[in-house]
Amino acid sequence: MFESLADVRADINARLTRAAQSRHGPMHSPVVATADADARVMVLRAYDTATWTARFHTDARAPKAGLIGAGAPVGVLFYDREEKVQIRCRGTGRIEREGPVADAAWATSTRFARRCYLGEGPGAFSDQPTSGLPARFEGIEPDEHELIVARENFAVLLVRFATIDWFHLANSGHRRAVFEGERGQWISP
């Protein structure tokens, strides 16, 4: 059971680190919400325990990219159903299209993942069901040369958490703690 704030902080860091590393982990695909109350499921690509920064990949043409820009409020909700742990995070997001973080994220992505940025921008209307990809890339892995044009549509969303609200449901008694930077506080569930 979680009896100290240090235990809870370690649990948060361990869970979010695992979530970024394991595509089958329960917290790998959290809900990300922007200031316009729009929410969507995104894949957590990295988590920095020292700075409390989460990294996601996104299309630079997506409405959320324009809304977040260089800095805007973002909420992220993680949930582990089996262990009954919820982690609600609030912070500031920023979109980076260029620079070392975006370049490294692009370089380490698979060609299949990068293929997503070859298509129409998110939200483009169609008269029929579509993946948005050009027909020649449906089910096909493009080569590096074909992906050059996709790079301009790729961006990373970085969210630096200012507040993390950890909640554990348990028959023996729920536990809840809120952290703001180094300061943690138990609160009533």
Side-chain angles (χ1 to χ4, degrees), residues 153-172:
N153 299 324
F154 175 80
V156 293
L157 164 59
L158 298 170
V159 183
R160 186 166 186 164
F161 301 141
T163 304
I164 297 181
D165 185 331
W166 175 93
F167 183 40
H168 180 240
L169 293 163
N171 288 337
S172 59

Side-chain angles (χ1 to χ4, degrees), residues 136-157:
R136 71 182 189 273
F137 294 120
E138 289 285 347
I140 304 296
E141 184 176 35
D143 64 33
E144 289 297 327
H145 179 73
E146 293 169 315
L147 288 166
I148 291 171
V149 297
R151 176 60 182 91
E152 70 186 56
N153 299 324
F154 175 80
V156 293
L157 164 59

Side-chain angles (χ1 to χ4, degrees), residues 66-89:
L67 179 68
I68 296 169
V74 174
V76 183
L77 174 63
F78 299 90
Y79 185 63
D80 182 329
R81 182 177 162 209
E82 280 189 31
E83 296 201 24
K84 297 183 170 93
V85 173
Q86 171 182 276
I87 301 173
R88 292 186 307 157
C89 305

Side-chain angles (χ1 to χ4, degrees), residues 25-41:
M27 293 186 170
H28 184 61
S29 301
V31 174
V32 178
T34 47
D36 61 351
D38 196 7
R40 77 276 296 147
V41 173

Side-chain angles (χ1 to χ4, degrees), residues 90-128:
R90 290 187 178 103
T92 301
R94 74 177 187 278
I95 299 293
E96 290 189 8
R97 296 177 72 169
E98 300 172 340
V101 173
D103 290 343
W106 177 257
T108 58
S109 295
T110 66
R111 289 195 311 246
F112 261 116
R114 288 186 267 162
R115 174 184 70 147
C116 298
Y117 304 96
L118 287 169
E120 294 287 328
F125 290 100
S126 175
D127 292 332
Q128 57 191 355

